């Protein structure tokens, strides 16, 4: 399955932070500093980094407080409501410090996707005498399945007499025959020198019908007593789509992404981060498994999207640490705009609460709203002259509420267990921006995850 | 594995060096280089020596002049700047001039006017520190690396040992302890914590395999005047001795950090207790009433006392 919802974030690194191990009988070094949760007091961080600048101290402080090797193993299970998609997967990650300046991270994931997915929407016709029709479909090109809505009637009542009218639409799903396995791996190498970190990463991802390769570079530099961090990044992904329903065809896509980021420690307990990213995708950006329904000819034909998309994203993140509660609040606001006409906003809040005894609870709540793409309609009367048309529910205008709960248990100084559950509810009516109604495409999912984190 | 123990005197304090390494002559050579480095730092930064760098800087300070400093001194000044900023002005390496008012010979409390006059010559913010130039905005100021130098020496000593391949050892400079690494069999060092109220007895021992332990206190240097206790730690903002705590010990990754944290906590007085708790580092505090509390290994130590 090639294209996933931008909302389906299976991992969230936002609180991917070690909780301090329970107090040992033996005092060693201070707990490791973690950038996201100000678990380490800012004063302690400021003094520690200033101490490292003293001549001759860095080598031994780093040597005795050497970064540990880390290994993560995670299982996740994603289920959409209404017997649609299911995804089950295993993830592994390894962090290997190589000497004092280099750190290597290697990740691998393998997941299995199965289930039905929507192909197009047919209009529903209601007449005054109470009859309800779904419009007939003459041929389904591209979709390798049969509409689930039984045999379509060969005729439809005339719509211009006032007797019958189009009232809504309903989704036609690709039958539950779809199954694919995704295997992906990536690595990242970070080189630290003084206040500068240079990162290089690359990865591949393979499915039956979709291959992706990416390369990423980033540069982070701390200024002003490490209170300010500037980040620059670039990544290039080259994807090849060989849809199963079009033998002999393959489409290529290149995605460039540029990032400019600024992180500022505002006070002992406050941190502000601003990230600006520009994405530029070129090539084959359509989804050959998605069709549009044409009322003029009663046919379903493959969708067609523009061959370029530019998208701006702005992320503003504010973290506050409540010292008396030892808890952290993360507030995120994201705004994105693309030249396909989709404007989206996200507001997210997470509360990270250590409960003592090695337990930690993280509730999270997110609201998302997006406007529809310029070339989106739930179905089309006739093909638009621009040549771009799609009925993909992911390009519709809608809103979504999602939330989750993560429970973490530090089992020992070396081992941690995370258990998470997340729900997602997409509703056409939740959308803030003006859009055509797409209630027929509303759905939800739940995501369960379990992961083990080891340091050795 | 041969063990090497040495007791010596430096920086006005009794010091100990415990090292273990595979090769005895090599360990002795490392020990000699460590002692040489500690003596070098004492010569450079002691305010009791007229030929020290600190005294040279203070002669410039006395006339409100400017001077250029070397990289090591610059790094120490940067560190002092961080301490000043993080402690909201409590940890101030210019507060030494206040000693002139608090001689306690004969015992007595100074006139407020005397303190006010001295306060004008106190304040890190009255220095112009633009690396590598240090300028004094008014005459009669002084700087003193007293709160940093000994701890810095302990950390450097540990670094010298580590870089020479020694993985097991401990250095103690007058109660500022830095552990190089655990005993050769991996077991921790046991570091005794003296009971400030009964100096001849130990509160107990903490076990350490790495990191550092530093203690700030004025239980050794205080006078009682009209039933009030005046310690030697002075608040640079008021010019008066701080009240509330008599001893604070902190464990951190480096001795410099442990030392600054314990000193800042002392300077904060009773507010230091909550501040230490928010830092989330193992610590022990004892107040003027003899109440005590702490966290981490120290909490266990206090529990064992009861």
């Amino acid at each position: 399955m090639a294209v996933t919802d931008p909302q389906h974030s299976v991992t969230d690194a936002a609180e991917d932070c070690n909780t301090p191990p329970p107090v040992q009988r033996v005092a060693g070094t201070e707990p490791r500093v973690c950038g996201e949760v100000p678990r380490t007091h800012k004063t302690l961080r400021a003094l520690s980094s200033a101490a490292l600048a003293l001549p001759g101290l860095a080598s031994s402080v780093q040597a005795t407080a050497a970064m540990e090797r880390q290994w993560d193993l995670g299982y996740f299970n994603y289920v959409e409501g209404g017997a649609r998609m299911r995804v089950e997967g295993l993830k592994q990650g390894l962090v290997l410090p190589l000497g004092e300046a280099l750190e290597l991270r290697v990740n691998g994931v393998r997941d299995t996707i199965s289930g039905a997915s929507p192909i197009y929407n047919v209009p529903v016709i209601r007449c005054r005498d109470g009859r309800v029709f779904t419009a007939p479909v003459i041929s389904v090109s591209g979709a390798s399945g049969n509409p689930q809505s039984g045999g379509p009637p060969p005729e439809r009542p005339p719509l211009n007499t006032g007797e019958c009218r189009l009232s809504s639409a309903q989704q036609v799903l690709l039958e539950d025959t779809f199954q694919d396995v995704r295997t992906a791996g990536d690595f990242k190498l970070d080189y630290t020198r003084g206040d500068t970190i240079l990162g290089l990463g690359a990865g591949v991802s393979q499915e039956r019908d979709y291959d992706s390769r990416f390369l990423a570079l980033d540069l982070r530099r701390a200024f002003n007593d490490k209170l300010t961090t500037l980040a620059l990044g670039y990544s290039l992904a080259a994807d090849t789509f060989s849809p199963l329903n079009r033998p002999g065809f393959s489409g290529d896509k290149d995605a460039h992404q540029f990032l400019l980021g600024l992180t500022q420690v505002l006070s002992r307990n406050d941190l502000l981060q601003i990230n600006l990213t520009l994405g530029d995708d070129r090539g084959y950006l359509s989804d050959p498994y998605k069709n549009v329904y044409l009322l003029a000819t009663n046919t379903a034909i493959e969708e067609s999207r523009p061959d370029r998309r530019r998208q701006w994203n702005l992320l503003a993140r504010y973290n506050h640490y409540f010292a008396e509660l030892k808890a952290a609040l993360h507030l995120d606001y994201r705004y994105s705009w693309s030249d396909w006409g989709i404007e989206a906003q996200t507001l997210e809040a997470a509360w990270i609460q250590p409960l003592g005894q090695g337990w930690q609870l993280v509730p999270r709540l997110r609201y998302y709203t997006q406007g529809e793409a310029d070339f989106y309609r739930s179905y089309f009367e006739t093909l638009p002259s621009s040549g771009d048309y799609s009925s993909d529910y992911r390009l519709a205008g809608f809103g979504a509420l999602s939330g989750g709960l993560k429970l973490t248990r530090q089992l020992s100084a070396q081992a941690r267990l995370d258990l998470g559950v997340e729900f997602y509810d997409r509703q056409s009516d939740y959308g803030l921006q003006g859009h055509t109604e797409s209630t027929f495409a509303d759905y939800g999912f739940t995501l369960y995850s379990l992961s083990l984190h080891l340091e050795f | 594995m041969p063990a090497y123990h040495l007791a010596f005197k430096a920086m006005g304090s009794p010091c100990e060096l415990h090292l273990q390494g595979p090769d005895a002559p090599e360990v002795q050579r490392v020990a000699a280089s460590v002692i040489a480095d500690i003596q070098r730092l004492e010569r450079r930064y002691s305010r009791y020596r007229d030929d020290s760098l600190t005294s040279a800087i203070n002669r410039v300070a006395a006339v409100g002049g400017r001077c250029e400093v070397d990289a090591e001194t610059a790094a120490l000044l940067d560190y002092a700047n961080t301490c000043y900023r993080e402690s909201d002005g409590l940890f101030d390496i210019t507060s030494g001039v206040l000693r002139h008012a608090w001689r306690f010979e004969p015992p007595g409390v100074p006139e407020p006017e005397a303190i006010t006059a001295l306060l004008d010559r106190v304040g890190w913010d009255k220095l112009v520190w633009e690396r590598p130039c240090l300028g004094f905005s008014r005459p009669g100021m002084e700087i003193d690396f007293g709160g940093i130098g000994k701890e810095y020496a302990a950390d450097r000593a540990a670094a010298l040992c580590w870089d020479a391949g020694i993985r097991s050892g401990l250095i103690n400079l007058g109660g500022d302890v830095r552990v190089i690494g655990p005993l050769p069999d991996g077991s921790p060092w046991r570091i005794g914590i003296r009971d400030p109220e009964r100096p001849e007895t130990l509160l107990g021992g903490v076990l350490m395999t790495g990191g550092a332990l530093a203690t700030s206190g004025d239980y050794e240097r205080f006078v009682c005047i009209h039933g009030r206790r005046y310690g030697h730690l002075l608040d640079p903002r008021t010019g008066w001795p701080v009240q509330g705590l008599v001893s604070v010990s902190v464990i951190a990754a480096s001795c410099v950090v442990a030392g600054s944290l314990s000193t800042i906590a002392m300077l904060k007085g009773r507010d230091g207790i909550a501040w230490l708790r928010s830092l989330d580092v193992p610590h022990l505090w004892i107040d003027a009433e003899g109440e005590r509390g702490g966290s981490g290994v120290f909490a266990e130590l206090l529990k064992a006392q009861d």
Side-chain angles (χ1 to χ4, degrees):
Chain A
M1 186 63 196
V3 194
T4 48
D5 230 316
Q7 280 280 296
H8 295 191
S9 66
V10 174
T11 54
D12 207 328
E15 89 273 348
D16 215 10
C17 215
N18 311 331
T19 38
V23 175
Q24 308 268 293
R25 290 272 314 124
V26 178
T29 53
E30 66 191 65
R32 262 229 316 284
V33 173
C34 164
E36 284 293 319
V37 182
R39 217 193 51 244
T40 312
H41 201 290
K42 182 189 149 279
T43 295
L44 187 54
R45 280 209 308 276
L47 291 172
S48 302
S49 62
L52 284 177
L54 293 167
L57 251 63
S59 73
S60 84
V61 172
Q62 278 169 347
T64 49
M67 270 282 292
E68 302 230 303
R69 286 167 296 179
Q70 296 170 43
W71 182 62
D72 275 288
L73 177 67
Y75 163 83
F76 62 90
N77 185 324
Y78 163 96
V79 185
E80 288 181 2
R84 278 176 37 167
M85 292 289 228
R86 296 183 64 103
V87 184
E88 227 183 347
L90 270 181
K91 291 184 302 183
Q92 284 199 76
L94 192 63
V95 180
L96 289 173
L98 308 169
E100 279 172 18
L102 278 178
E103 184 181 83
L104 177 68
R105 289 168 188 267
V106 185
N107 295 302
V109 62
R110 189 177 173 87
D111 50 35
T112 310
I113 307 164
S114 59
S117 61
I119 341 175
Y120 61 93
N121 318 305
V122 286
V124 173
I125 300 160
R126 286 178 192 277
C127 302
R128 282 195 182 160
D129 55 15
R131 287 178 304 155
V132 178
F133 296 90
T134 49
V137 183
I138 289 176
S139 69
V140 178
S141 72
S144 58
N146 298 314
Q148 285 184 334
S149 53
E155 292 289 321
R156 68 161 195 245
L159 297 170
N160 44 12
T161 60
E163 192 58 31
C164 300
R165 57 179 183 84
L166 296 172
S167 73
S168 61
Q170 72 179 48
Q171 274 183 329
V172 176
L173 295 179
L174 190 62
E175 271 187 6
D176 189 0
T177 49
F178 184 87
Q179 179 144 29
D180 203 347
V181 174
R182 179 172 67 109
T183 312
D186 64 78
F187 80 87
K188 182 156 195 278
L189 195 60
D190 275 340
Y191 172 69
T192 306
R193 186 166 174 179
D195 286 340
T196 307
I197 301 175
L198 186 63
L200 167 74
V204 291
S205 162
Q206 278 196 316
E207 288 161 77
R208 250 190 319 177
D209 56 358
Y210 203 83
D211 288 340
S212 175
R213 296 160 295 281
F214 82 85
L215 186 73
L217 279 170
D218 68 281
L219 178 73
R220 278 159 288 163
R221 175 143 194 188
F223 300 93
N224 174 17
D225 267 356
K226 296 202 159 95
L227 297 178
T228 310
T229 307
L230 189 67
L232 291 169
Y234 168 73
S235 72
L236 170 63
D239 300 358
T240 304
F241 203 160
S242 320
L244 305 170
N245 55 0
R246 290 178 61 182
F249 168 84
S250 74
D252 289 336
K253 165 180 143 186
D254 285 345
H256 302 263
Q257 195 166 70
F258 304 87
L259 174 140
L260 177 65
L262 183 75
T263 306
Q264 177 68 44
V265 176
L266 300 173
S267 81
R268 196 164 290 171
N269 299 321
D270 298 277
L271 182 137
L272 183 68
Q273 184 178 15
I274 307 278
N275 275 2
L276 188 63
T277 50
L278 166 64
D280 187 357
D281 301 354
R282 299 176 202 208
Y284 183 69
L285 306 179
S286 299
D287 182 343
Y289 300 130
K290 301 284 184 216
N291 288 190
V292 302
Y293 179 82
L294 282 180
L295 199 61
T297 55
N298 295 348
T299 50
I301 65 159
E302 237 176 71
E303 70 159 35
S304 165
R305 303 185 188 186
D307 53 13
R308 185 167 188 192
R309 177 174 62 170
R310 271 155 297 188
Q311 183 171 317
W312 291 91
N313 295 300
L314 172 77
L315 160 71
R317 167 171 291 172
Y318 170 71
N319 293 355
H320 181 78
Y321 181 65
F322 295 87
E324 59 284 3
L325 298 167
K326 287 196 178 167
L329 171 71
H330 289 193
L331 285 177
D332 284 6
Y333 170 77
R334 292 183 184 84
Y335 175 83
S336 86
W337 175 87
S338 84
D339 60 3
W340 285 6
I342 297 182
E343 187 190 33
Q345 296 180 75
T346 313
L347 195 60
E348 183 174 352
W351 181 266
I352 294 129
Q353 180 67 60
L355 304 168
Q357 306 285 316
W359 291 91
Q360 177 177 275
L361 194 63
V362 183
R364 167 188 298 285
L365 200 61
R366 185 193 296 132
Y367 170 71
Y368 174 83
T369 170
Q370 80 167 44
E372 65 187 21
D374 296 337
F375 51 87
Y376 170 87
R377 301 279 178 281
S378 45
Y379 53 84
F380 289 78
E381 298 271 347
T382 57
L383 279 188
S385 55
S386 67
D388 301 322
Y389 40 89
S390 172
S391 299
D392 187 338
Y393 67 98
R394 292 164 302 186
L395 303 182
F398 64 90
L401 260 180
S402 54
L405 202 57
K406 189 166 115 178
L407 185 65
T408 292
R409 172 83 168 106
Q410 191 76 38
L411 303 168
S412 73
Q414 281 80 36
R416 191 181 83 228
L417 200 62
D418 292 347
L419 181 69
V421 59
E422 206 175 307
F423 72 89
Y424 173 89
D425 178 27
R426 181 251 201 228
Q427 299 274 349
S428 173
D429 303 344
Y430 291 170
L432 279 180
Q433 293 93 341
H435 57 274
T436 49
E437 180 268 349
S438 62
T439 312
F440 54 85
D442 289 348
Y443 77 102
F445 70 75
T446 46
L447 174 72
Y448 299 94
S449 61
L450 179 69
S451 65
L452 177 68
H453 175 89
L454 294 175
E455 297 190 2
F456 53 97
Chain B
M1 199 178 273
Y4 180 89
H5 304 289
L6 179 69
F8 58 101
K9 218 169 148 49
M11 303 186 168
S13 315
C15 303
E16 300 169 89
L17 186 58
H18 302 276
L19 298 178
Q20 310 218 334
D23 177 42
E26 170 66 6
V27 171
Q28 292 197 17
R29 197 190 58 71
V30 175
S33 75
V34 164
I35 305 269
D37 190 60
I38 292 169
Q39 288 168 341
R40 176 187 73 86
L41 289 171
E42 183 172 9
R43 275 197 306 277
R44 280 196 83 154
Y45 295 114
S46 167
R47 63 180 174 88
Y48 300 105
R49 299 176 60 124
D50 285 343
D51 60 349
S52 74
L53 183 65
T54 302
S55 298
I57 293 174
N58 282 336
R59 282 191 288 275
V60 174
V63 297
R66 284 175 84 243
C67 60
E68 197 170 309
V69 298
D70 63 288
E72 184 172 40
T73 309
L76 286 168
L77 289 169
D78 279 343
Y79 187 77
N81 177 35
T82 308
C83 290
Y84 177 82
R85 195 189 63 217
E86 292 298 326
S87 65
D88 303 320
L90 277 173
F91 189 115
D92 192 327
I93 62 167
T94 66
S95 60
V97 287
L98 292 167
R99 280 191 311 271
H100 301 308
W102 294 91
R103 290 191 189 282
F104 297 124
E105 306 278 340
V109 175
E111 294 300 321
E113 297 77 36
I115 292 176
T116 312
L118 286 171
L119 277 178
D120 188 49
R121 290 153 51 188
V122 171
W124 172 260
D125 54 339
K126 299 187 176 98
L127 300 188
V128 185
W129 170 225
E130 287 164 349
R131 195 182 183 124
C133 289
L134 179 64
F136 296 87
S137 64
R138 65 205 59 203
M141 294 185 74
E142 263 179 48
I143 63 161
D144 174 4
F145 290 107
I148 304 171
K150 198 151 54 85
E151 292 85 349
Y152 170 56
D155 281 332
R156 270 187 66 88
L160 283 169
C161 295
W162 185 273
D163 292 344
I166 289 177
R167 294 290 177 268
S168 169
L170 171 151
I171 177 126
N172 174 4
L173 302 184
D176 290 328
V177 176
R178 177 66 201 269
V179 176
I180 299 156
L183 288 157
D185 64 359
S187 59
W189 295 90
R190 189 182 171 81
I191 294 148
I193 306 288
R194 204 152 35 127
D195 187 337
E197 288 158 313
R198 294 185 300 267
E200 67 288 352
T201 58
L202 287 182
L203 262 178
V206 295
L207 301 175
M208 292 176 71
T209 56
L213 164 73
T215 301
S216 295
D218 60 5
Y219 49 84
E220 285 171 343
R221 289 179 282 171
F222 66 90
V223 291
C224 280
I225 299 162
H226 308 310
R228 274 197 73 129
R229 178 195 162 107
Y230 295 97
H232 76 291
L233 267 176
L234 304 172
D235 185 330
R237 298 173 305 187
T238 63
W240 283 71
V242 291
Q243 306 277 342
L245 300 180
V246 296
S247 167
V248 173
S249 298
V250 170
I251 287 176
S254 64
C255 212
V256 205
V257 173
S260 339
L261 292 178
S262 58
T263 304
I264 293 169
M266 279 294 298
L267 289 163
K268 281 180 180 281
R270 296 207 62 85
D271 293 347
I273 297 172
W275 181 76
L276 282 167
R277 200 172 307 128
S278 74
L279 281 170
D280 220 6
V281 292
H283 65 271
L284 169 75
W285 55 264
I286 298 174
D287 71 7
E289 280 75 57
E291 290 289 310
R292 41 192 69 184
S295 77
V297 282
F298 294 108
E300 291 168 28
L301 190 136
L302 292 173
K303 221 179 288 171
Q305 290 267 304
D306 299 336

